[in-house]
Each structure stands twice: as structure tokens, then as C-alpha cells.
């Protein structure tokens, strides 16, 4: 396999982290404290536990202080609310992340609204999404920001290109479309209800798959020389009683046609964490 066409998010994330570490070291003498990131986790979702552990390790590597808080699944909205307020007021904390999904009895939207927008490390507060829509500076949604960082690092300029984003979630699809528009791409947002989805995707110079369906984007949907960014991460059985991680793109077959492609794992996942750290450091430096 010709690995020169793989967009290596894992390696790029290390580069970003090393850049952040230098910025923190340079700022420490004036600030007298490191940047701080607080991750609030509620319940015992195993995937969330792994994500949070990875985020805390990444913080350690770059010199960000962690202020993690783990609540039981029975925690009330009032308890989480009080913790958010406390972190909003804590001068040691520059970034706050509410780890989703939350237990069913909690309203994620209502809780996210309580975050100080300037400490919203995930870039999901309506004010930050509004800033993105208006093209103003602000904390950016981590996964799509990670995609843009990958394109930039590999000198893939979206300007004038046809970009198709498959998926319309507020986490990825919508902010992704806005960021590509900001980079002067012509953007189509496709989703599960799109008619002739295969034809829509086949017209794309840049495909961003963020739909949460294992290997949904197949080779017949990709034109030769397209750039394929796979944001999906799905657990599927490996036939031996275990599981493997696959993306939303059928990697092996699409690889043959794409000019560039991200792997799963090791593509956009590590970049999402790197952008979370970047948002925290940006808030700290401001």
C-alpha cells in the first residue's frame, strides 16, 4: 500500500502538541500558572471513559493542568450546573468540556448553554457557533477544526473545490460545512435523506464522511483523485468474537481511487483531541 497518500492525523497531532508545549513554556513566566482544562464526565459510558483518559494524558504531555470531575450517572442537573458555574469562575481553568453523551435524564443543550463561551473548549456553545457563522474569531468545534488543520498541513487548498459533507450534526456536519465555506469551497451538505446520494458524493473533489454508518462511502461513490476525510468511528464485529474500529468509508477499496485519504483509527480522532488542547491554550493566551 502506497502510504504517501495517507493523511496521518496521529503524526500531525504530535506536531501540534509540540507547538502548544512551546507556546505554554514561553507564556509561563508572565502567567505564573499553566493553562487549565476541566472535563466533566457523568456516568460510566466506557467509550467516554477512554476518551477522557486520552484527553488527560494529552494535557499532561503539553503541560496543561487537568481539573477533571466525574459524577455518578444519578447526578442531577443542579449538581452539574453548580460545577459548571464553579469552573466558569475559577481563574485556573481556561477550558471546560462537558463529555457527551450524558445520561438520558440530563438535558445536554441546557447544560452546554451554561458554559462561559470563552471557556467552551469544544466550541459547541451557540455563541461560538454564531461566531463561526459570522466569520469572527472564537473557539472552533474540535473535529471540523481538526479536519481543516489536516488539509492545511498537507497543502490541500479547498478554495474553488466542490466539497461534499455527508452528515449534518451540530458536532461535525454543520460546522464543517461552514469552515469549508470560509475556505472558499463550494459546499454541499448531504445526509440520509439525500436523493441520489451516490451521484452527489461522486461529484466531490473533497469528501468529508461524518454520518456514523460503517463503510457507507464505497469506491463507486468516489471520483478518481478525490480527497477523502473519514470522521466516522464505528465498532464492528471482527468475526472472532471481538471488534474492530472502522470508519464511514470503505477504506481498502476507496484507497485505490483517492488522491488522499485519512485512516481510521489514526486520522481525525487524534486531531480532535489536539484541537481541544489548542482551544484551551488559545483561551489561556487571550
Amino acid at each position: 500500500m502506497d502510504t504517501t497518500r495517507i493523511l496521518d492525523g496521529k503524526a500531525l497531532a504530535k506536531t501540534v502538541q509540540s507547538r502548544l508545549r512551546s507556546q505554554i513554556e514561553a507564556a509561563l513566566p508572565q502567567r505564573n500558572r499553566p493553562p487549565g482544562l476541566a472535563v466533566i464526565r457523568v456516568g460510566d459510558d466506557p467509550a467516554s471513559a477512554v476518551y477522557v483518559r486520552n484527553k488527560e494524558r494529552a494535557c499532561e504531555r503539553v503541560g496543561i493542568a487537568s481539573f477533571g470531575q466525574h459524577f455518578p450517572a444519578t447526578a442531577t442537573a443542579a449538581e452539574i450546573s453548580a460545577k459548571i458555574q464553579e469552573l466558569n469562575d475559577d481563574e485556573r481553568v481556561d477550558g471546560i468540556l462537558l463529555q457527551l453523551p450524558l445520561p438520558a435524564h440530563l438535558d445536554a443543550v441546557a447544560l452546554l448553554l451554561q458554559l462561559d463561551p470563552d471557556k467552551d473548549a469544544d466550541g459547541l456553545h451557540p455563541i461560538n457557533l454564531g461566531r463561526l457563522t459570522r466569520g469572527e474569531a472564537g473557539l472552533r468545534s474540535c473535529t471540523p477544526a481538526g479536519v481543516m488543520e489536516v488539509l492545511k498541513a498537507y497543502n490541500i487548498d479547498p478554495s474553488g473545490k466542490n466539497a461534499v459533507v455527508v452528515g449534518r450534526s451540530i458536532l461535525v456536519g454543520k460546522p464543517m460545512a461552514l469552515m469549508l465555506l470560509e475556505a472558499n469551497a463550494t459546499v454541499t451538505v448531504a445526509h440520509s435523506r439525500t436523493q441520489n446520494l451516490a451521484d452527489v458524493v461522486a461529484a466531490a473533489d473533497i469528501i468529508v464522511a461524518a454520518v456514523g454508518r460503517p463503510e457507507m462511502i464505497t469506491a463507486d461513490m468516489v471520483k478518481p483523485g478525490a480527497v477523502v476525510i473519514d470522521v466516522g468511528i464505528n465498532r464492528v464485529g471482527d468475526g472472532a468474537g471481538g471488534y474492530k474500529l472502522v470508519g464511514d468509508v470503505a477504506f481498502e477499496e476507496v484507497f485505490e481511487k483517492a488522491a488522499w485519504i485519512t485512516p481510521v483509527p489514526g486520522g481525525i480522532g487524534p486531531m480532535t483531541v489536539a484541537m481541544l488542547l489548542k482551544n484551551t491554550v488559545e483561551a489561556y493566551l487571550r
Side-chain angles (χ1 to χ4, degrees), residues 151-172:
L151 294 176
K152 188 171 127 196
Y154 282 86
N155 297 314
I156 299 164
D157 184 3
S159 184
K161 303 280 198 310
N162 285 329
V164 173
V165 179
V166 189
R168 52 180 167 177
S169 73
I170 200 72
L171 270 174
V172 182

Side-chain angles (χ1 to χ4, degrees), residues 55 78 88 135 185 253:
K55 285 164 186 170
N88 281 342
E253 57 179 80

